[in-house]
Amino acid sequence: MTQVCIVGAPDVAVRYELLSRETAREALSTYDLHEPYANTLALRTVSLGAAVSLLNDLNWYLVRFASDALVLEPSISETEWLSRDLATAVRDERTAPDETGENCKIYGVSDDELVEPMYVVRTNGLPEYDLQEVDDTLVVRITNEEFGG
């Protein structure tokens, strides 16, 4: 199962904002929703294509209420998420799954909250998150454009 995680923008209650709008609520109504981190909304879909399609359906809301949309596709990685743009590129066969791991954004996790991301290039593994003390990290593979060009 492919997972989707929508990260709320600062000062926005993403779950409330999405579920208070009829169109978004209907798009999410068939999914079992949970909150793995503070101010996130997560769910499982049947495939990478279904995950990208759902995010496309929610785009109007994501632009307004989310700071990030992530996809975890187990056939690519069991632990590292894909950015929405990278998941779309893989689905559309513009990027091969085995070419997704070079550029990453690493979120710190502190008190079950995602904190400031650190952008890195993978060379002989990933560097340690060092922007602040954190309990854990969440690795997100990103496109060259999201990394900075």
Side-chain angles (χ1 to χ4, degrees):
M1 300 287 286
T2 303
Q3 295 181 61
V4 171
C5 184
I6 299 168
V7 180
D11 302 322
V12 170
V14 73
R15 184 182 188 104
Y16 168 80
E17 294 297 348
L18 291 174
L19 296 179
S20 69
R21 271 100 178 148
E22 184 178 359
T23 305
R25 185 173 54 248
E26 286 178 14
L28 295 167
S29 67
T30 60
Y31 298 99
D32 181 23
L33 306 176
H34 60 282
E35 187 176 356
Y37 305 102
N39 200 28
T40 63
L41 182 71
L43 55 97
R44 296 181 192 278
T45 67
V46 296
S47 68
L48 178 65
V52 170
S53 292
L54 174 64
L55 293 173
N56 289 343
D57 289 347
L58 295 172
N59 188 61
W60 189 91
Y61 306 99
L62 297 180
V63 169
R64 287 156 181 78
F65 307 124
S67 65
D68 219 340
L70 313 174
V71 176
L72 183 64
E73 172 51 52
S75 68
I76 296 173
S77 174
E78 296 276 336
T79 58
E80 295 183 1
W81 294 75
L82 304 175
S83 68
R84 177 183 177 188
D85 289 348
L86 188 55
T88 301
V90 170
R91 182 204 60 181
D92 295 346
E93 299 179 351
R94 290 181 281 128
T95 301
D98 61 349
E99 297 175 359
T100 61
E102 182 180 19
N103 298 318
C104 297
K105 174 169 53 172
I106 303 174
Y107 280 101
V109 180
S110 182
D111 296 324
D112 290 325
E113 183 176 338
L114 296 177
V115 296
E116 182 181 10
M118 180 174 86
Y119 291 81
V120 300
V121 175
R122 186 186 315 258
T123 55
N124 298 329
L126 289 172
E128 293 291 319
Y129 182 89
D130 62 2
L131 299 179
Q132 61 182 289
E133 279 293 316
V134 295
D135 306 320
D136 200 2
T137 57
L138 180 96
V139 177
V140 181
R141 298 177 181 191
I142 59 176
T143 65
N144 289 338
E145 293 77 19
E146 291 171 299
F147 190 77

